[in-house]
């Protein structure tokens, strides 16, 4: 395996830190190690770098610098946005609307709030994973505080009609949070135009380091704390600044957006080649998620009669890293809630494979992956009691 | 990810023994469900009370495939009575252990085999 060329196709899980990002971060580990809250020069250097980072992020998403708050990552951003807003706005009501395909950071936070006495509407999605804007309109009540709908789905890549959702929320005077963890670094985002009140992001999904993220909170939004402590981030998010991580996040974001149009187009072409190649060469496969309203780097397909973990193991033996919505890969008996929400039966959901592209993937990687998949699927199907050649058992 | 399983499990996953079906099998057992992500089907051929051949087909994870493969190897040549005593513990010992969340795969192999033997017994009654 060490000799073999490894192909990494799991960029939705995490990305390697970009070399330029790493080089930018390194001095801040030791020579510029100061606590950003201190007054002396070491601290000042760190603080200036943090302010610059806020400015970089604000430029990308079209917000104010003061609307950016740093966190420990996507999960904290999602938890904070939802819990913080719901708790701070109880006077208005205790109702929140979300969707059935959210990441667990949103989904489980909402389920916990429900146990605590809040009311949650889980909006269904169609077969492509899209919410229906009319259904959202009907779900909004007098006591609805916020709507939390993800920008783009981490498993099936479907991109929601964010601008329409934002416009509706604005009209109905409801706050709009979006988990944009898979979208930032890959899609154009304009919180002003899209009427977004809160937006979560995570650095390691776009070439930044792990353990750092941000939450955009529109000026004037009432939000409580998850944690209490020092005066950092206007006392809203206390804790010594992870300035190394913050600097890495901003640099990675800057690099991603410098070249976003070309890179997006390149990945989209590779995505289409991968989908086409698999569909042309392997029978009884289906594409999960919307065919066009989808992340440029996301391919999610189900292979009938076989199980995802076997598929992943077989690919791993060939040096290819991917992921699956199969239960066996998650430690539970149920397959992915996202795949079930778009209407897949259990067996088809267990047989799903997610391939997510990144900057370093080439056309040859795509061809090699298709070439590897063809015999793997054939072998596993021949081993499957569900598969009877030429007919469906 | 291959690190999750030991060498023997990976070897049986990569080169499973006795995959297939037996025509006019003496007994067949199928357990599990697509909903849970594991289905195991075992065919046995019995001659003079000895299990002379076993074949399997499995829809499932790496541990399920390896468990089926190793179970077939362990059972061939055994008498029906001996085979009935076979448990997942024997299988786990032979395979060198499975991750905790995969123990149920070895139980499925035991159950599929027991069902195949019961099916055989019900036919000869």
């Amino acid at each position: 395996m060490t000799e073999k060329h490894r192909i990494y196709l799991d960029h939705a899980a995490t990305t390697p830190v970009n070399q330029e990002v790493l080089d930018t971060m390194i001095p801040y580990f030791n020579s510029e190690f100061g606590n950003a809250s201190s007054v002396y020069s070491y601290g000042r250097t760190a603080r200036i770098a943090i302010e610059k980072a806020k400015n970089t992020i604000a430029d990308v998403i079209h917000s104010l610098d003061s609307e950016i708050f740093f966190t420990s990552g996507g999960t904290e951003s999602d938890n904070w946005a939802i819990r913080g807003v719901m708790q701070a706005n109880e006077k208005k009501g205790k109702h929140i609307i979300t969707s059935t395909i959210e990441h667990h950071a949103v989904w489980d936070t909402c389920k916990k709030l429900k146990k605590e006495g809040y009311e949650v509407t889980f909006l269904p999605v169609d077969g492509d994973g899209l919410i229906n804007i009319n259904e959202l309109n009907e779900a909004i009540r007098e006591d609805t505080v916020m709507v939390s709908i993800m920008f783009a789905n981490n498993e099936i890549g479907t991109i929601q009609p964010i601008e329409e959702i934002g416009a509706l929320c604005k009209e109905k005077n409801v706050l709009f949070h979006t988990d944009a963890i898979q979208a930032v670094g890959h899609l154009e985002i304009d919180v002003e135009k899209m009427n977004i009140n809160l937006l979560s992001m995570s650095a390691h999904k776009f070439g930044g380091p792990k353990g750092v993220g941000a939450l955009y909170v529109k000026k004037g939004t009432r939000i409580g704390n998850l944690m209490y402590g020092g005066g950092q981030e206007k006392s809203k998010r206390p804790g010594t600044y992870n300035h190394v991580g913050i600097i890495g996040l901003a640099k990675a974001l800057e690099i991603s957006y410098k070249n976003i149009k070309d890179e997006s187009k390149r990945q989209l072409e590779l995505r289409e080649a991968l989908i086409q190649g698999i569909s042309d060469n392997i029978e009884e496969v289906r594409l999960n998620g919307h065919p066009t309203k989808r992340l440029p780097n996301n391919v999610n397909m189900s292979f009938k009669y076989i199980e995802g973990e076997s598929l992943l193991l077989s690919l791993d033996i060939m040096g290819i890293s991917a992921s699956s919505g199969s239960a066996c890969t998650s430690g539970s008996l149920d397959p992915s809630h996202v795949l079930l929400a778009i209407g897949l039966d259990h067996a088809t959901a267990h047989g799903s494979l997610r391939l997510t592209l990144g900057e370093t993937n080439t056309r040859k990687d795509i061809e090699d992956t298709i070439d590897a998949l063809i015999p793997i699927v054939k072998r596993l199907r021949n081993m499957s009691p569900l598969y009877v050649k030429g007919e469906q058992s | 990810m291959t690190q999750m399983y030991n060498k023997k499990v990976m070897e049986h996953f990569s080169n499973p023994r006795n995959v297939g079906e037996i025509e006019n099998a003496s007994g067949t057992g199928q357990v599990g469900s697509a909903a849970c992500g594991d289905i195991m089907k075992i065919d046995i051929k019995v001659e003079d009370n000895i299990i002379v051949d076993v074949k399997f087909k499995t829809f499932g994870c790496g541990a399920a495939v390896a468990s089926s493969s190793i179970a077939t190897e362990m059972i061939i040549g055994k008498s029906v009575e001996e085979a009935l005593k076979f448990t997942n513990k024997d299988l786990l010992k032979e395979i060198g252990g499975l991750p905790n969340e995969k123990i149920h795969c070895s139980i499925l192999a035991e159950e599929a085999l027991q069902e195949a033997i019961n099916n055989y017994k019900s036919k000869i009654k």
Side-chain angles (χ1 to χ4, degrees):
Chain A
M1 178 99 93
T2 45
E3 298 297 314
K4 208 178 292 172
H5 171 57
R6 287 167 65 199
I7 302 176
Y8 184 75
L9 288 173
D10 203 16
H11 290 85
T14 194
T15 60
V17 173
N18 179 297
Q19 187 60 48
E20 203 184 328
V21 172
L22 187 60
D23 293 342
T24 310
M25 287 166 69
I26 281 175
Y28 290 91
F29 277 103
N30 47 17
S31 55
E32 298 298 345
F33 67 92
N35 187 323
S37 305
S38 311
V39 291
Y40 42 74
S41 68
Y42 284 111
R44 270 205 310 279
T45 312
R47 194 164 58 249
I48 288 165
I50 290 169
E51 292 311 321
K52 203 177 143 231
K54 286 197 181 190
N55 182 256
T56 304
I57 300 168
D59 271 359
V60 165
I61 68 169
H62 304 270
S63 72
L64 302 173
D65 296 6
S66 58
E67 294 172 324
I68 305 299
F69 294 81
F70 292 111
T71 67
S72 62
T75 295
E76 187 192 331
S77 294
D78 282 342
N79 272 261
W80 183 24
I82 293 169
R83 184 170 286 277
V85 165
M86 291 310 289
Q87 285 180 348
N89 291 276
E90 283 191 2
K91 269 189 188 158
K92 190 189 176 196
K94 296 183 89 172
H95 182 231
I96 173 169
I97 301 168
T98 186
S99 83
T100 50
I101 61 162
E102 297 298 313
H103 185 277
H104 281 283
V106 168
W107 172 267
D108 287 6
T109 301
C110 288
K111 281 200 290 192
K112 182 69 171 55
L113 285 176
K114 199 174 172 186
K115 277 190 188 159
E116 293 170 21
Y118 291 86
E119 285 185 74
V120 185
T121 299
F122 290 95
L123 215 56
V125 293
D126 66 15
D128 290 328
L130 286 173
I131 65 128
N132 181 309
I133 200 82
N134 296 324
E135 282 177 24
L136 174 61
N137 190 14
E138 283 163 26
I140 296 175
R141 321 188 305 212
E142 277 290 302
D143 62 340
T144 305
V145 172
M146 81 189 297
V147 168
S148 179
I149 305 274
M150 70 200 316
F151 206 113
N153 185 267
N154 51 308
E155 293 187 40
I156 57 173
T158 299
I159 302 168
Q160 299 297 337
I162 293 298
E163 210 172 322
E164 281 178 65
I165 298 170
L168 177 64
C169 288
K170 191 182 180 187
E171 181 199 321
K172 297 272 183 166
N173 197 26
V174 171
L175 296 171
F176 176 33
H177 165 248
T178 186
D179 167 353
I181 288 158
Q182 295 292 338
V184 175
H186 303 280
L187 302 174
E188 302 274 7
I189 292 168
D190 186 333
V191 292
E192 199 57 47
K193 199 173 103 190
M194 295 171 169
N195 284 301
I196 296 166
N197 299 90
L198 302 109
L199 179 143
S200 307
M201 67 174 79
S202 175
H204 76 104
K205 304 293 190 185
F206 50 82
K210 292 167 186 64
V212 60
L215 181 67
Y216 151 77
V217 184
K218 191 181 171 74
K219 204 169 119 188
T221 305
R222 291 171 63 87
I223 183 164
N225 284 28
L226 279 191
M227 296 186 291
Y228 298 87
Q232 295 89 351
E233 302 291 70
K234 300 174 212 121
S235 296
K236 281 287 167 200
R237 204 287 187 178
T240 301
Y241 284 104
N242 169 15
H243 74 299
V244 183
I246 290 166
I247 287 156
L249 185 159
K251 191 70 191 173
L253 197 68
E254 183 192 314
I255 293 169
S256 302
Y257 280 89
K258 208 186 285 174
N259 196 21
I260 192 161
K261 284 206 172 73
D262 289 344
E263 183 55 20
S264 236
K265 186 169 170 278
R266 192 189 74 89
Q267 288 188 16
L268 197 141
E269 283 168 12
L270 292 182
R271 176 191 87 187
E272 290 306 303
L274 191 50
I275 295 169
Q276 196 64 45
I278 292 171
S279 311
D280 286 351
N281 289 288
I282 303 175
E283 286 175 1
E284 296 195 80
V285 295
R286 62 158 279 158
L287 177 70
N288 299 319
H290 199 280
T292 55
K293 292 173 187 162
R294 85 185 285 135
L295 287 168
N297 71 337
N298 175 291
V299 174
N300 187 314
M301 297 185 93
S302 279
F303 298 79
K304 267 198 122 164
Y305 315 120
I306 62 179
E307 194 278 328
E309 193 210 88
S310 286
L311 201 49
L312 296 190
L313 276 177
S314 306
L315 285 169
D316 190 32
I317 291 167
M318 304 290 289
I320 301 169
S321 308
S323 77
S324 168
S326 151
C328 283
T329 59
S330 69
S332 78
L333 275 181
D334 287 323
S336 135
H337 68 282
V338 175
L339 297 176
L340 297 181
I342 61 168
L344 263 59
D345 60 66
H346 277 65
T348 311
H350 280 299
S352 75
L353 177 70
R354 182 187 72 176
L355 303 161
T356 44
L357 305 159
E359 260 175 40
T360 55
N361 291 127
T362 61
R363 189 159 283 268
K364 179 150 191 321
D365 290 346
I366 301 309
E367 287 160 8
D368 289 350
T369 302
I370 296 164
D371 287 346
L373 265 173
I374 297 167
I376 288 171
V377 172
K378 194 175 170 191
R379 183 180 94 89
L380 294 174
R381 280 183 176 169
N382 283 335
M383 215 190 287
S384 170
L386 298 173
Y387 183 63
V388 179
K389 220 175 173 180
E391 56 174 300
Q392 201 173 317
S393 79
Chain B
M1 178 201 282
T2 44
Q3 305 304 317
M4 194 171 120
Y5 296 125
N6 68 41
K7 264 191 182 160
K8 191 157 185 179
V9 176
M10 281 311 293
E11 204 275 316
H12 273 269
F13 171 74
S14 305
N15 303 294
R17 330 295 196 252
N18 306 308
V19 175
E21 284 161 315
I22 299 176
E23 247 182 79
N24 302 317
S26 313
T28 296
Q30 181 167 321
V31 295
S33 75
C36 307
D38 290 300
I39 301 173
M40 232 176 250
K41 179 173 170 280
I42 288 186
D43 287 349
I44 57 170
K45 190 178 169 96
V46 181
E47 280 171 8
D48 301 327
N49 202 42
I50 301 291
I51 298 175
V52 295
D53 198 11
V54 185
K55 291 264 190 276
F56 83 89
K57 281 206 160 184
T58 290
F59 163 88
C61 61
V65 172
S67 293
S68 323
S69 168
I70 213 146
T72 60
E73 268 197 335
M74 290 173 76
I75 290 308
I76 292 175
K78 283 202 160 60
S79 70
V80 170
E81 288 72 29
E82 283 172 324
L84 269 174
K85 288 185 201 146
F86 173 85
T87 70
N88 78 305
K89 290 207 176 66
D90 303 322
L91 194 156
L92 286 172
K93 203 174 155 194
E94 181 69 23
I95 210 165
L98 285 172
N100 269 338
E101 67 275 18
K102 301 289 184 181
I103 300 291
H104 73 275
C105 297
S106 64
I107 298 171
L108 271 185
E110 175 191 323
E111 288 173 353
L113 180 72
Q114 305 298 342
E115 203 174 297
I117 296 172
N118 290 334
N119 176 247
Y120 160 69
K121 284 180 142 184
S122 70
K123 281 189 195 170
I124 57 165
K125 255 180 197 165

